[in-house]
Amino acid sequence: MLSAAASPFSRALKESALATLIVAGLAFPIIAFRADPDFNNLLELSARWPLFLAFCALGFGLRFLLSLWESRPKAALALAQATTGKQRKWLAPAALAALVAYPLLILALLGPQAALKWVDTFGVQILLYVLLGWGLNITVGLAGLLDLGYVAFYAVGAYGYALLAPLTGLSFWALLPVCGLLAAFWGFCIGFPVLRLRGDYLAIVTLAFGEMLRIVAVNWDAVTKGEAGLYGFPGLTFFGLPFIPGPRGFAAHFGVAFAGVHKLIFLYYLVLAIALLANFVSIRLRRLPLGRAWEALREDEIACRALGLDTAKIKLTAFALGAFFAGVAGCLFALRQGFVSPSSFTFTESATILAIVVLGGGGSQFGVAMAAALIVGSSELLRELTFLKAIFGENFDPTQYRMLLVGIAMVAMMNFRPRGLVSMRQPTITLGPEPEARS
Amino acid sequence: MTGFAWIDDPLLRVDRVTMRFGGLTAVNDVSFSVGRGDITALIGPNGAGKTTLFNCLTGFYKPTVGRIAFSPKGGLDDDRIDELTATARRNSNDGGEDLYLLERMADFEIAKKARIARTFQNIRLFSGMSALENLIVAQHIALTPASGYGVFGLIGLPSYRRAESEAVERAKKWLERIGLRRRADDPAGALPYGDQRRLEIARAMCANPALLCLDEPAAGLNANESHGLATLLREIRGESGVSILLIEHDMAVVMAISDHVVVLDYGQKIADGSPLEVRENPAVIAAYLGVEDEELGPAEAELTAETKP
C-alpha cells in the first residue's frame, strides 16, 4: 500500500521539478535582472535573485498542489460533493446573516473612522457589483444575449439621478425607480436594432452603444458638464434626515455622535435590500413562463419560434429588465459617490461586470454574488497587503499586480471550472422520483 | 364524397408554391392538400425539396410564389380562400371557421395562432433544460396570460399556480407516454438519441397543435424504435385527432402509418395519393431507385416486399 501512496507523490514531485525548470527558464531573463537608467542615462543592471527564487518556488508549489489534486482518490471527491449538497441548505441563511451583521460588526471592531473604508469599498461597492452582476445575468446568463455595453445603463441611472434630483427636487426613493425605468427604456431602444443579431455581432453593437453613451456624456457640456462631471446634487437622507453634523442631522436626532460612517451604513442596508429584491425577482422570474422563455431562447432560438414564442418580445424584456437593474445600481452609485463623471463608465466596467457573470457561471445567482465579491473584493484587498513589502522590499506595490492576479484567476477558472463557479444548473421545476418510490 | 380526407375535408392547402434561392429552384410549383385527421407523408429522394417545403409551411421561409391556406378545423373552402387572398389580411373568421394564409404570417405566429407545431431534422431541444422544462416551455402560449404576463406569477397568485400545475400534469402525461417519466429532471441533451426524438414530438404536442409537422422523426432510429414511433404516431392521431404531416425516408414507417403520400423529386410533385397508389407508381419507383425502365419490375417487387407489414 505504501508504494501506491508514494507513487502519486513522487509523480507530483517529478512534475513540479519540471514545472520549476520551465518557470526558471522564463523568469531568468524577465525577472532575475532589471535594467534601470542611472543619472547619466546609462543602463544599470541589478540582479533580483530573491524575487526570482520566489517565482520558482511559487511555480514548484502550485504545480505540486495541482498534481496532488489531480491524483486525489475518488472517495474524497464523492465526500466533497456530498458535503456541498448538505451545505447548500444553510448556506443562504448564513450568508444573509453575515451580510446583515457585517457593517455593525466592522463598526464595533474598528470604530467609526476606520470602519468607513470597510463599509464603503468592501460593503457598498461589492454589493453594487452584485446588483449589476445579477442584472447582467438576466441578459447574458439567462437569455444568452452577449451585452458588452452594459455600463451604459449604469451610466443612465447615475446621470439620471444626478440630473433629475436637483431639477425635480424629488427624493431618491422616487428617483430610484425613475432611474431604473430610464435605463430600461434605453435597454428597450438598444434592443430594437439588435433583435436580429446574435453572438459576436450583438456584442459589437452593444459595445459601440456603451461607448456612444459615454462619449455623449463627455461632450455634452451643457448638460453633463463633460469630464468635470456632476456634483453637488442632493445626497442620501435617512427618511428626510440628512447625514450632516449639527442639530438637524441624523446623528443629533438620535442622540449619537456624528460619524461619516452612518450614511454609508444606511446606504449599505439600502443597497443590500435592493439587491435582495432584485434577487427575489430574478429567482421568481426564472420559474415563470417569461424566465423559462429566456432560457429557452439561450438554448435554441429557432425551436422557440417553432413553439410560437415571440422571440423579439422576449429579447426586449431581457434587455429592458437587465438594464432596469443597472439603472437602479447607477442611481445608488451616484448616491454613494456624490459625484458622477464619464470616467466611471468606461468599457473596463462593462468587462468587469461581464467577468463577474462569466466567473459566477451564467445563470446562477449565488455564483454571481461570489464572483463579484471575489473580483471586486480581491482587487481592493490587494491595496491592503502592505506586509508584502517586508518580503519584496519597500518599493513593492501590490496594486500594480492586480490585473496580473485577475488574469491568473481567470486562467485558473477556465482550467478548473470552465462553466463558472457554480456551474450546476438547477431545473426551475422538478417532478422528483416516480410516485411508486415516494409512497 | 371520395372517401379521401385530403379531398373531402382538407385543413391545409398548398397552392402552386415555388421557392427559389437565387438561381436554384428548390420547390417548383407544388400543390397538394392535407386531410383533417390524416397522417400525410411527404417523401422523396435527398434534395427533393421536402424540408424547404416544410420551412415554407411553418413560416421559416417565405415562398417565392404561391399560397398556403390553413384552417385548424378543416373544411377549407376555395371561395373563402380566394376572398381572403384578395384582401391584405392574414386570417379571417367571418365564415365561422378560422382561416389563415400562412405565407403572410411570421413563423412564431403560425405556431401561436394557426397552431402548427413542428420538429426538426436535426433535433432542436433546449438541451440544457430538463425534459420537463422542455414540455413546459412548449405551453408558453397558454401559460403567459395565466401568469398575468409575469405580474401575477411574480407575486405568486393561486390562479397562476393552478395553471402551472395543470401544465405540469400535461407534461407528466406526455413524459409517461414516451417512457421518460423517470428522466423528467435530467437535461434533455443528456438523453439517448431515440428519447430525444420522442421528447421533441411530445414537446410539439404539448403546444396543443391542430397540425403536427415532423421532419424525419425516424431518422437515426433502429428498426425497433421506428416501429415504436409508428405506433406512437398512430396513437397520437387516434386520441387527439391531430393531423400529422411528416417527412420520412423509412418506407416501412411511411407505408405502415400514412393515409396519404405526396412524393417530391427535384422540387416537383411526381405523385400524390394513397400509399397503395404511390407504391405502384412507376415514376416514384424510378425516382427512388434511379433505375432504367427495364429494371423497374424487380425493383418494384423489392420495394413492395420491404414495406409489407
Side-chain angles (χ1 to χ4, degrees), chain A residues 280-281 284-293 295-311 313-314 425-435 438, chain B residues 60 107-108 111-112 116-118 120 124-130 132-133 136-138 140-141 143-144 147 150 153-156 160 164 168 172 175 181-182 184-185 203-204 207:
Chain A
F280 172 79
V281 169
R284 264 292 164 88
L285 274 175
R286 238 194 109 210
R287 295 182 185 151
L288 289 176
L290 182 61
R292 293 207 183 100
E295 289 201 78
L297 184 72
R298 178 193 63 202
E299 299 285 329
D300 197 322
E301 186 171 345
I302 289 178
C304 280
R305 299 179 73 80
L307 290 170
L309 275 65
D310 187 346
T311 50
K313 274 187 200 153
I314 292 165
R425 179 185 174 276
Q426 298 294 323
T428 59
I429 192 164
T430 53
L431 273 184
E434 278 179 273
R438 228 186 289 155
Chain B
F60 284 86
D107 43 14
F108 73 92
K112 186 175 174 179
I116 296 181
R118 72 169 289 182
F120 295 87
R124 284 187 177 273
L125 286 168
F126 306 125
S127 49
M129 302 172 86
S130 73
L132 176 67
E133 284 176 308
I136 291 191
V137 171
H140 182 87
I141 304 308
L143 276 176
T144 300
S147 78
L154 212 52
I155 52 178
Y160 171 66
E164 193 187 38
V168 173
K172 204 168 118 188
L175 284 169
R181 170 64 184 78
R182 221 164 33 83
D185 302 332
R203 185 179 68 181

Side-chain angles (χ1 to χ4, degrees), chain A residues 40-127:
Chain A
N40 301 324
N41 224 2
L42 294 169
L43 286 179
E44 206 169 71
L45 203 63
S46 53
R48 301 190 293 175
W49 295 113
L51 193 66
F52 171 70
L53 288 177
F55 265 88
C56 292
L58 197 70
F60 180 84
L62 285 178
R63 179 66 232 190
F64 188 69
L65 287 177
L66 184 67
S67 300
L68 280 188
W69 174 251
E70 276 172 352
S71 62
R72 71 198 182 284
K74 287 271 155 56
L77 189 72
L79 189 73
Q81 278 169 350
T83 45
T84 49
K86 230 176 273 170
Q87 279 165 351
R88 200 161 283 141
K89 271 195 179 127
W90 54 263
L91 204 57
L96 188 61
L99 281 174
V100 171
Y102 173 76
L104 301 177
L105 211 66
I106 290 288
L107 186 63
L109 282 177
L110 299 176
Q113 208 47 48
L116 262 177
K117 179 181 74 192
W118 289 93
V119 175
D120 190 36
T121 49
F122 291 97
V124 178
Q125 195 186 1
I126 290 180
L127 282 179

